Amino acid sequence: MMHRPGLAPRLSALTKVVEFGPGRLDEKLLNEANALLLRAGDRLKLSSEHTVVALAGGTGSGKSSLFNAISGLELSPTGVRRPTTARTHACVWGLEGAQPLLDWLHIQGRHRFSRASALDKGDSQLHGLILLDLPDHDSIRALTDTEADRLIGLADLVVWVLDPQKYADASTHRRYVTELAGHEAVTVFALNQADRLTAEELAELVIDLNDLLRREGVEHPSVVPTSAVTGRGIESLKSVIATAVSKRRAAIQKLEADLHRLEQRLGQTMPLGEALLAPSSVDEARRMGLTDALCDAVGVPAVGEAMENVYAERSQQWVGWPYPRWISKFRTDPLKSLRLEDVGDEIRGITTGAVSAQSAEVANAVQALADGLSAGMHPVWRTAVHQAARSRAGQLPKTLTEELTEVAPQLDRVPGWWRVLKVWQYVLVLAFAAGLVWLAVGLTMPGQLPPALQLLGDSAALPWVGLMMASVLGLGVLSGIASRNFVELGASRERERLEREMRRRVATVAASMVVEPVERELGRHYAFYTAIRDLSG
């Protein structure tokens, strides 16, 4: 047999269920759980030395007569023509410490009676008993009917007084008996007015009542035939009550039975199943997946690619070999057809426009995260996870826009090495131009120059000048090619840096606006079902 935890841990678990249940559990069930916690807290604070036993029954069942027979005094009024109990009467065996409990039960002072006298010497086994004679539960007076229901719920042990004619009364069984499954330890059935039956009829009714109770879920019913007129069965009933009183466990057993019934209803509404296998947090893979999806939705790759292309094209103004660039001025500029001269505005348009234009993709990314995390959950919790994921969805595109706009690349920034390389290339351009002048002078004006410039007209130096010019030209071309490679590498690094920063910001926004609300709901789900598990043991 499975060991069940004590009452205190289970009540603590129920407290967690009530804490995390609003909006997830049926309001009526949640109110019942809350009421049980309040009732348990109140009862456990009151006298554990007293056991509250309520005599409940319909009109004419002989309940008040049975109350008087057990107490040995005429405490509760009885009648012949449609006898009715209008107010609850209480008889206490051992009044010390019982007053707060009687106050909690709302028993009026004039209806409280004590057996703390010499009359109790033969009833010492009942010391600590508070016996209640409840109003008839089928009374036409709504007030007494409500009071009976209230005290039936508060009593530690309930004795149902049934008469031979109405023992199978549908209203009693429908309203009360069917709710007693699991309450066998704190429920007794007194088949009263046995004096009206023959021995054979009584035996047959007892068998029939037992069968009826078992069919209604009371597995081990305790049925005691009684007669307040002849005194038959009174001692047997007192013995059953005395056993409960002496063990001092009826109050705990009643609360455990109430808790078990509530636990079963919770299990039907929110079955535990494999609920605890659901994730209690958003794992790193799902976080990355959400970040990737949001980056695609806001166009991070497009911004990075545009920035890389612009970086490479702008570098031609600084590190490209000047001669090809000057020649290209006489041709149509392909960059103008691409409108890359206004690429700064284009990139900012990408970062701001894509968010609003692709809001559906943002919603899809959030939806995909919620779908993956809530798979297999109860529909109520699945809906709650989706609502948590979308809780700030309206602000998400705007926030992403603002974050990414802040990191838009500075397209007018010129790396220092571009400036150095440009100076070097113009030095080569000047050297090449000087060589051209030398060749022109040497070829057209040999021997005609002044002595100071005679070297320029020396035909023997011209081959060396030509070699120098070829070297300068080659060096310029090679430096241009090398610079292009460095530019491409730099553009790639700039793109990586930009995309990394944009991705970091997207991840931060996703964490605060999507992941955190979802994780709160996942934590609530896990705590709720952990409490359901602890409640059942």
Side-chain angles (χ1 to χ4, degrees), residues 450-473:
L453 300 177
Q454 194 64 42
L455 182 63
L456 293 177
D458 187 358
S459 60
L462 294 181
W464 295 104
V465 172
L467 180 61
M468 179 200 70
M469 291 177 60
S471 299
V472 167
L473 188 62

Side-chain angles (χ1 to χ4, degrees), residues 211-230:
D211 290 342
L212 176 62
L213 293 172
R214 289 191 184 95
R215 288 197 301 271
E216 291 179 339
V218 184
E219 295 182 5
H220 306 289
S222 176
V223 178
V224 181
T226 59
S227 172
V229 175
T230 65

Side-chain angles (χ1 to χ4, degrees), residues 313-323 325-326 329 414-431 472 475-476 479-480 482-484 486-487:
E313 294 300 334
R314 288 192 67 251
S315 67
Q316 291 185 359
Q317 301 175 14
W318 294 85
V319 299
W321 183 227
Y323 290 118
R325 186 168 65 248
W326 292 339
K329 289 183 178 297
V414 178
W417 70 272
W418 286 12
R419 299 179 186 276
V420 173
L421 187 58
K422 187 172 186 177
V423 171
W424 163 249
Q425 288 176 329
Y426 273 98
V427 168
L428 294 179
V429 167
L430 291 176
V472 167
L475 189 59
S479 64
S483 66
R484 291 298 301 169
F486 282 116
V487 164

Side-chain angles (χ1 to χ4, degrees), residues 47-88:
S47 176
S48 61
E49 297 300 314
H50 289 83
T51 301
V52 180
V53 178
L55 299 181
T59 304
S61 63
K63 173 171 49 63
S64 295
S65 298
L66 195 60
F67 176 82
N68 291 335
I70 295 172
S71 64
L73 298 172
E74 291 294 325
L75 302 177
S76 191
T78 61
V80 178
R81 302 183 64 181
R82 192 166 181 78
T84 306
T85 302
R87 291 292 181 182
T88 302

Side-chain angles (χ1 to χ4, degrees), residues 35-47 50-52 97-108 112 130 132 147 150-156 251 254-255 258:
L36 176 55
L37 285 172
L38 292 174
R39 185 166 72 249
D42 290 342
R43 182 63 184 94
L44 293 174
K45 286 186 295 186
L46 297 169
S47 176
H50 289 83
T51 301
V52 180
Q99 295 292 355
L101 186 52
L102 291 168
D103 292 339
W104 179 64
L105 294 170
H106 295 168
I107 306 300
Q108 296 180 3
R112 300 178 185 181
I130 298 178
L132 305 181
E147 184 176 2
R150 180 180 65 83
L151 289 170
I152 287 170
L154 296 179
D156 302 328
K254 174 63 181 304
L255 291 174
D258 290 343

Side-chain angles (χ1 to χ4, degrees), residues 477-509:
V477 172
L478 288 176
S479 64
I481 294 174
S483 66
R484 291 298 301 169
N485 290 336
F486 282 116
V487 164
E488 290 178 2
L489 181 61
S492 178
R493 288 177 176 174
E494 283 292 310
R495 175 179 181 173
E496 290 177 2
R497 182 199 61 78
L498 176 64
E499 290 187 356
R500 185 167 56 250
E501 176 61 17
M502 295 178 76
R503 181 182 176 84
R504 185 189 67 80
R505 295 200 176 213
V506 170
T508 301
V509 171

